[in-house]
Amino acid sequence: MLSVLRELAQQMRNEAIAIESLLKDSIRTWTEWRDTLQAQVAGKDKEMRSADAAIDEITFSLKQKGGPLQVALNRQSQRGLRPGIELCNDKAQHALHQELMMLKSSLLALENQLGEGISQEISCRKGSTKGEIGDMRTESCD
């Protein structure tokens, strides 16, 4: 009877050692996954901060371009309101028209960049919330 108890105790020790080994492996695997996910989150946060900074810079540029555009538009409308002038077709009018066209194209380019930046940031944020835990791939939003 004593030998049976010893044998049973030895079996239980062996099972406890095997379970402890499995638990250690599982903890190591989960720790690696957690560290990988934390690195991915940190990378996404960095990308989002960079995108936010770019959007802020473009928005600031748009505000800066808005003032000169309004001045040029006011100058053009004032030239057209001068008494006795039906058609302003001189160098000053052509230069003013060129300035307006340049400002408008610059403004459109900045607005397009802003739209692209916002859509890219939205897709990056959606991608960071839809990541699968089992799939440890990292995707960058360039």
Side-chain angles (χ1 to χ4, degrees):
M1 175 91 163
L2 189 59
S3 66
V4 172
L5 286 176
R6 284 186 183 157
E7 190 177 307
L8 184 60
Q10 185 62 35
Q11 285 177 351
M12 290 178 77
R13 280 189 200 107
N14 290 340
E15 285 181 20
I17 290 171
I19 289 172
E20 182 183 10
S21 175
L22 284 172
L23 286 174
K24 284 181 180 178
D25 288 344
S26 177
I27 289 170
R28 187 178 333 105
T29 301
W30 281 101
T31 303
E32 288 172 0
W33 285 352
R34 183 200 64 206
D35 294 344
T36 302
L37 287 173
Q38 286 175 342
Q40 287 177 356
V41 167
K44 291 292 182 183
D45 285 343
K46 184 179 178 182
E47 288 175 11
M48 285 190 288
R49 283 191 304 274
S50 172
D52 286 340
I55 287 171
D56 291 342
E57 185 178 320
I58 292 171
T59 304
F60 179 73
S61 295
L62 278 170
K63 287 178 184 175
Q64 279 185 321
K65 296 281 182 180
L69 180 62
Q70 288 301 324
V71 169
L73 284 170
N74 286 338
R75 284 176 40 213
Q76 187 180 35
S77 68
Q78 290 300 319
R79 275 184 67 89
L81 295 176
R82 289 183 187 163
I85 297 179
E86 290 182 19
L87 177 62
C88 295
N89 198 13
D90 56 358
K91 284 184 178 182
Q93 181 66 19
H94 292 296
L96 186 56
H97 181 71
Q98 242 178 347
E99 182 182 351
L100 276 172
M101 296 308 289
M102 184 180 68
L103 283 170
K104 284 180 182 179
S105 67
S106 175
L107 214 56
L108 283 173
L110 286 170
E111 286 173 350
N112 287 338
Q113 285 180 351
L114 181 62
E116 290 171 7
I118 289 173
S119 65
Q120 181 180 4
E121 182 178 8
I122 289 170
S123 67
C124 282
R125 288 188 182 187
K126 282 182 181 178
S128 68
T129 58
K130 288 185 179 179
E132 294 182 23
I133 293 175
D135 188 341
M136 290 295 168
R137 293 179 290 163
T138 58
E139 297 178 11
S140 66
C141 296
D142 297 327

